[in-house]
Amino acid sequence: MNVYEVKSMAERLSGNTYPGRGIVLGVTPDGKKAVAAYFIMGRSVNSRNRVFVWEPDGIRTEAFDPSKMVDPSLIIYHPVREVGQGLIVTNGDQTDTIREYLARGESWEAALRTRKFEHDGPNWTPRISGLQAIDGSYKLSILKAADPEGQACARFFYEYPATAGLGHFLHTYVCDGSPVIPTFQGEPERVSIPDDIDIFTSELWENLNADNKISLFVRYTDLETREYEQRIVNKHQ
C-alpha cells in the first residue's frame, strides 16, 4: 500500500455515487496559487433544493424553490467566508464559529472543540472544515460520532504545508449506504491540483454523481497579489 499515492479528483470521485459534501484545499503545480473547492450533494428533496450564491466575503446556500424548503437548520449556511487574508471552508454553520474565534485571536481548534457532528441520527453527518492561510498552507478537520448512538464526538485535526501540485480531499461519507451512510474514515486523501481553474471545475463537476450533485464552488488565489478567480456551478441554474 502506497500511503503517499496521489490521485486526480476524477479518480477519487468517479463511480462513487455519494461522497456527500467535500472540501479540497491545495496549491497549483507552479506553486503560485492557493486552491479551494467545496461541493454539496443530496438525496432528499430538501437537500437537493439548494444553490450557491455569492456573498461579499464568500458564498452561502439558498433555497432554489423557497416553497419546497422544509427544515433550513442543516442546509442553509455560509460554506465559505474570508477571514483576514485567509479562507474558511466548511459544510455547516461552524464557518461562523471559526470566524468568530479567529477574530478574537483564538485558534480554530478551540472553535471546533465547541462543536460536534450534525444531529441527524443515525447518520450523524460529520462536520468537515478547512482553513487556508495566506502562504498556501492549510488545515483540515473532521468532527464525527465516536459511537453509533451519537453520544460522544471524536475530533481530528490535520495541518499541511503548501506543496506545489498537491491538495487534500476530505468528505463526509465513504460512499452511499442504507439505512446508514458510512462516515468518512482515515486521513484526508491526497489529490493532484491542475493549473487551470476551469479545468479543475469541470473535472470536479463532471465526476460528481449526476443524480446527487447539487452545487460546486472553486477559487484560485494568487499567493503574491491575493487576486483570485472563482466559479460557482449549480445544478439548478
Side-chain angles (χ1 to χ4, degrees):
M1 178 182 179
N2 179 8
V3 297
Y4 297 110
E5 182 180 20
V6 178
K7 293 184 178 182
S8 68
M9 282 303 299
E11 293 174 302
R12 295 290 187 193
L13 292 172
S14 180
N16 188 346
T17 58
Y18 202 64
R21 286 166 274 178
I23 297 171
V24 182
L25 298 179
V27 178
T28 53
D30 60 9
K32 294 182 178 180
K33 294 179 180 178
V35 175
Y38 177 65
F39 66 79
I40 57 174
M41 306 180 78
R43 303 192 306 174
S44 69
V45 172
N46 198 40
S47 290
R48 290 178 174 180
N49 181 35
R50 288 183 290 174
V51 292
F52 285 166
V53 296
W54 298 115
E55 285 285 306
D57 65 345
I59 63 171
R60 62 180 169 85
T61 59
E62 181 179 273
F64 173 67
D65 182 348
S67 69
K68 293 181 179 179
M69 179 61 63
V70 178
D71 178 10
S73 63
L74 293 178
I75 65 172
I76 302 300
Y77 55 93
H78 288 79
V80 179
R81 299 196 77 166
E82 296 171 0
V83 56
Q85 290 184 300
L87 197 68
I88 305 167
V89 186
T90 89
N91 72 327
D93 62 11
Q94 71 268 29
T95 305
D96 296 326
T97 305
I98 295 168
R99 187 169 177 263
E100 290 164 8
Y101 269 67
L102 294 178
R104 298 200 301 258
E106 299 185 60
S107 69
W108 96 307
E109 292 87 352
L112 289 170
R113 288 191 181 105
T114 70
R115 304 303 304 269
K116 65 175 188 175
F117 49 87
E118 296 181 1
H119 54 277
D120 62 342
N123 291 319
W124 310 121
T125 299
R127 289 191 185 272
I128 56 173
S129 306
L131 179 62
Q132 190 175 64
I134 60 173
D135 63 355
S137 63
Y138 50 93
K139 299 178 180 181
L140 288 164
S141 171
I142 183 168
L143 314 179
K144 58 185 183 178
D147 54 76
E149 297 75 29
Q151 295 180 350
C153 181
R155 296 177 174 87
F156 300 88
F157 300 93
Y158 306 92
E159 188 169 350
Y160 299 99
T163 303
L166 181 66
H168 286 83
F169 174 37
L170 180 61
H171 43 109
T172 52
Y173 302 121
V174 175
C175 57
D176 208 345
S178 180
V180 178
I181 312 174
T183 295
F184 180 87
Q185 299 294 311
E187 295 182 15
E189 299 163 347
R190 292 161 61 89
V191 296
S192 57
I193 302 291
D195 268 319
D196 186 270
I197 186 172
D198 291 317
I199 289 175
F200 195 42
T201 300
S202 295
E203 179 183 5
L204 289 164
W205 189 248
E206 291 171 7
N207 286 283
L208 288 168
N209 178 265
D211 292 331
N212 294 323
K213 65 184 178 183
I214 302 170
S215 296
L216 168 68
F217 164 85
V218 182
R219 177 186 285 200
Y220 274 46
T221 304
D222 188 295
L223 293 172
E224 183 176 350
T225 66
R226 304 307 303 168
E227 295 179 355
Y228 57 81
E229 293 182 273
Q230 51 189 12
R231 305 284 187 269
I232 280 179
V233 185
N234 288 312
K235 188 172 185 177
H236 302 297
Q237 291 289 356

